[in-house]
Every structure is written in structure tokens, then in C-alpha cells.
């Protein structure tokens, strides 16, 4: 998929693609380290939701690759192995493709054309596919149950995906009603999602406080 997409890549609006690619890379810098794991989570998924709704699949795949590469190598405690970077990249590419194709297939079957429905489907597919794939990799390396790893590391993050979906919806609505550059005004909401991530992870790392 990755090779074929790169070889057949095209963009109807190269300037818009470059802006969203840069935005995804920037969002990947806003990452939070998960408690008890070497992996991180970032708010780049907000940009990916916009890309899934507004751009083509080849554009989405390349933006997912860039976002993963930046998140994997930027300010890491130890240099990741190439296989780790490739797996993370493949996981997000597959999840992006599943969200793109799955949401459109469901909407085509239901003869629906609704932005909230498209975003809702994309968010659920992107969230579950990516988090389960990563959890499965941890499960194989650590020998722990998949359900406990997923619940400990990712279950809590679903509300943040929903907030991110709202931010993505605002970006898309602004894009469709005005010039697409105006959709970048929603960036403060992405910053709020990131700050909320950090606060939650910090409190989880501290554990329950004694009363």
C-alpha cells in the first residue's frame, strides 16, 4: 500500500497538501509519553481526521507517514529502532486508510452525506484500529493480555479523540464556508487537547493521592 500510494501520488491542491502536511508534523511534536510505556501519543490525529474528510487517500497516507516519522524521532529518550519506526508508520497508515475507506463505504451504503457522520465513523475507526495495533505489538513483546494493555494505555484517550473530532469538524466547516486557510484558526483547540492530554497523563502517573 505504501509503495503503491507513493508511486501513484497526486494532489489537486499542492499548496493545501503542503500546509496540512506541515500542520501534521507540528502537531506530532505535541506528544505525551504514556505511563509505563516507551510510546507516545500526539494530537496529530486531529489533522488526520481533517485530511481523511477533505483530501485524497494518497495524500492522507503520506501525511500519516510524515506525522509518524516526526513523532518517532523528535525528543526521544532513546533512539528508536528502524523496525519500531516502520511498525508505527505502518500502523498509522493502515488506520488512516481504514478510516478513509471504511467511513466512505458505510456512508455510500446508507446513501448519507453528513459531515458529523463522516467524522464520527472516521474517529472511531482511526482510534480503535491504531490503538489496538499498537497494543497488540506491546502484547507480543511483553507477554501481557491485550485487553489490559489497551485499557491501561488507550481506553482513557477516547474522550480526547471526540474533542479532537469537534476541532476537526470546525476546521472542515470553516474550510467549506470560507478560504481553507481560515480553518487554521481552530489551532487553539488543538493546543487545548494537548494540554488536557498532559494533565491527564501527569495525574495518572502520580497515582491516587492520600486523603
Amino acid at each position: 500500500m505504501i509503495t503503491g500510494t507513493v508511486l501513484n501520488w497526486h494532489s489537486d491542491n499542492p499548496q493545501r497538501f503542503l500546509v496540512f502536511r506541515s500542520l501534521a508534523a507540528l502537531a506530532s511534536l505535541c506528544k505525551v509519553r504514556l505511563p509505563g510505556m516507551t510510546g507516545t501519543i500526539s494530537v496529530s490525529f486531529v489533522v488526520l481526521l481533517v485530511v481523511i474528510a477533505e483530501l485524497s487517500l494518497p495524500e492522507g497516507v503520506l501525511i500519516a507517514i510524515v506525522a509518524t516519522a516526526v513523532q518517532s524521532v523528535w525528543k526521544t529518550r532513546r533512539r528508536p529502532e528502524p523496525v519500531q519506526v516502520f511498525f508505527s508508520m505502518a500502523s498509522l497508515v493502515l488506520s488512516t486508510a481504514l478510516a478513509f475507506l471504511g467511513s466512505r463505504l458505510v456512508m455510500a451504503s446508507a446513501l448519507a452525506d453528513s459531515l458529523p457522520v463522516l467524522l464520527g465513523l472516521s474517529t472511531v475507526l482511526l482510534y480503535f484500529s491504531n490503538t489496538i495495533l499498537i497494543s497488540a505489538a506491546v502484547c507480543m513483546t511483553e507477554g501481557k493480555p491485550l485487553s489490559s494493555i489497551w485499557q491501561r494505555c488507550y481506553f482513557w484517550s477516547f474522550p480526547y479523540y471526540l474533542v479532537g473530532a469537534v476541532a476537526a469538524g470546525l476546521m472542515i466547516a470553516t474550510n467549506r464556508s470560507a478560504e481553507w486557510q481560515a480553518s487554521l484558526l481552530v489551532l487553539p483547540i488543538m493546543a487545548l487537547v494537548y494540554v488536557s492530554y498532559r494533565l491527564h497523563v501527569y495525574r495518572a502517573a502520580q497515582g491516587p493521592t492520600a486523603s
Side-chain angles (χ1 to χ4, degrees):
M1 174 185 289
I2 296 177
T3 303
T5 300
V6 172
L7 292 177
N8 297 298
W9 183 88
H10 72 280
S11 175
D12 295 331
N13 190 331
Q15 182 184 11
R16 183 177 64 171
F17 167 76
L18 290 174
V19 169
F20 279 113
R21 187 188 66 180
S22 301
L23 187 58
L26 180 63
S28 297
L29 302 180
C30 301
K31 60 183 182 179
V32 178
R33 189 169 302 280
L34 297 171
M37 292 183 63
T38 58
T40 58
I41 189 169
S42 75
V43 295
S44 61
F45 73 90
V46 178
V47 182
L48 284 176
L49 289 175
V50 178
V51 168
I52 288 169
E54 295 291 272
L55 276 63
S56 66
L57 178 57
E59 290 173 311
V61 166
L62 284 183
I63 289 176
I65 291 173
V66 171
T68 307
V70 173
Q71 183 174 334
S72 298
V73 303
W74 175 260
K75 288 188 176 180
T76 56
R77 291 183 178 177
R78 60 182 181 180
R79 187 173 183 177
E81 297 292 333
V83 66
Q84 295 175 310
V85 177
F86 179 79
F87 178 84
S88 298
M89 198 176 291
S91 175
L92 190 57
V93 165
L94 290 174
S95 299
T96 300
L98 178 62
F100 185 97
L101 298 173
S103 59
R104 280 164 172 74
L105 178 62
V106 171
M107 292 187 68
S109 301
L111 299 178
D113 184 17
S114 169
L115 176 59
V117 173
L118 175 63
L119 273 178
L121 290 171
S122 300
T123 301
V124 170
L125 291 171
L126 183 67
Y127 167 75
F128 280 105
S129 57
N130 194 46
T131 57
I132 289 176
L133 283 172
I134 298 297
S135 298
V138 177
C139 172
M140 290 186 291
T141 56
E142 297 186 0
K144 297 179 181 179
L146 174 63
S147 58
S148 63
I149 293 174
W150 182 83
Q151 186 171 7
R152 172 171 57 90
C153 299
Y154 294 109
F155 175 76
W156 59 269
S157 65
F158 188 62
Y160 296 96
Y161 268 73
L162 295 180
V163 175
V166 173
L170 291 174
M171 293 180 70
I172 295 169
T174 305
N175 174 39
R176 293 181 178 180
S177 62
E179 292 295 330
W180 64 266
Q181 292 89 340
S183 65
L184 302 182
L185 295 176
V186 79
L187 290 179
I189 300 180
M190 291 177 58
L192 180 61
V193 174
Y194 170 63
V195 171
S196 299
Y197 263 167
R198 289 185 62 89
L199 287 175
H200 179 92
V201 172
Y202 174 77
R203 289 170 181 168
Q206 295 299 310
T209 56
S211 58

